[in-house]
Amino acid sequence: MLKAKILFVGPCESGKTVLANFLTESSDITEYNPTQGVRILEFENPHVTSNNKGTACEFELWDCGGDPKFESCWPALMKDSHGVVIIFNADIPSHLKEIEMWYSCFVQQQFLQDTQCLLIAHHKPGSGSDKGNLSLSPPLNKLKLVHSNLEDDPEEIRMEFIKYLKSIINSVSESRDREEMSIIT
């Protein structure tokens, strides 16, 4: 069985835990309670299988606390991760600057490909879902950006997340195939 580890990172109060619970169909959280360090959710998604063999895939979603005081834990969190989802609140201007640091730390310094990264502009209930042009500076403007609004259109983010999981599983499966071939040859 293929296993993939995906990190949910981003500034404080961007909605990482709410999204993590929604996308893994875990419990709903009603009040804000900052994640201390990390929360690990294990799940399978019936829509995601490896290659065309129909092999089930298991995911570990690491919901990482956004507080900089946990920075000393980040190297341990990043170890062996296959993908990074950077979540930010599009209504908080400082988040646009902060996500550059998250990208640099969790994607570039880990030598992950941009395809292994997904940016989610999370719109909290009542914020209005202004999907206006977010001006992201390079290299963030090359990343796939999706908007999530669990109030107005929860299925859109679910579908985008499934597409992302499929791409991660393909890259995990390809690198495993390459490893196996290098052992044989």
Side-chain angles (χ1 to χ4, degrees):
M1 176 180 283
L2 277 183
K3 263 188 115 146
K5 172 180 170 182
I6 294 170
L7 306 181
F8 267 32
V9 302
C12 288
E13 292 193 60
S14 52
K16 297 179 293 294
T17 297
V18 170
L19 268 173
N21 283 351
F22 173 73
L23 294 169
T24 59
E25 296 173 5
S26 302
S27 64
D28 283 339
I29 291 181
T30 47
E31 69 208 45
Y32 176 65
N33 190 358
T35 301
Q36 300 301 313
V38 68
R39 230 171 39 107
I40 301 171
L41 301 165
E42 293 188 339
F43 69 103
E44 288 180 25
N45 188 305
H47 303 288
V48 184
T49 53
S50 74
N51 293 338
N52 297 323
K53 301 171 192 153
T55 316
C57 304
E58 209 171 83
F59 295 95
E60 277 184 4
L61 193 158
W62 291 46
D63 173 15
C64 306
D67 194 316
K69 72 180 179 194
F70 300 119
E71 199 169 335
S72 60
C73 308
W74 292 353
L77 302 181
M78 296 174 202
K79 189 176 176 346
D80 302 328
S81 63
H82 302 102
V84 174
V85 178
I86 301 173
I87 297 161
F88 64 100
N89 182 335
D91 304 314
I92 302 178
S94 63
H95 278 196
L96 288 174
K97 268 275 153 263
E98 279 185 60
I99 57 176
E100 293 178 21
M101 179 278 298
W102 291 97
Y103 174 76
S104 162
C105 254
F106 282 84
V107 181
Q108 289 178 315
Q109 291 172 27
Q110 296 307 302
F111 304 109
L112 291 179
Q113 302 296 312
D114 284 350
T115 52
Q116 292 170 277
C117 183
L118 179 66
L119 268 184
I120 299 180
H122 185 57
H123 300 272
K124 295 193 170 176
S127 66
S129 58
D130 175 29
K131 292 186 180 178
N133 285 345
L134 281 174
S135 55
L136 295 172
S137 52
L140 296 177
N141 58 3
K142 293 193 202 75
L143 301 175
K144 174 143 181 74
L145 168 68
V146 295
H147 289 264
S148 82
N149 187 321
L150 300 183
E151 227 177 15
D152 297 351
D153 193 358
E155 285 317 302
E156 182 185 3
I157 188 64
R158 198 187 301 277
M159 296 319 296
E160 288 294 346
F161 189 61
I162 287 170
K163 278 189 222 164
Y164 172 69
L165 292 178
K166 287 179 175 172
S167 73
I168 293 297
I169 281 299
N170 285 339
S171 76
V172 169
S173 152
E174 282 167 15
S175 71
R176 199 167 78 172
D177 291 350
R178 275 195 302 274
E179 255 170 52
E180 288 171 358
M181 287 310 288
S182 70
I183 293 169
I184 295 168
T185 51

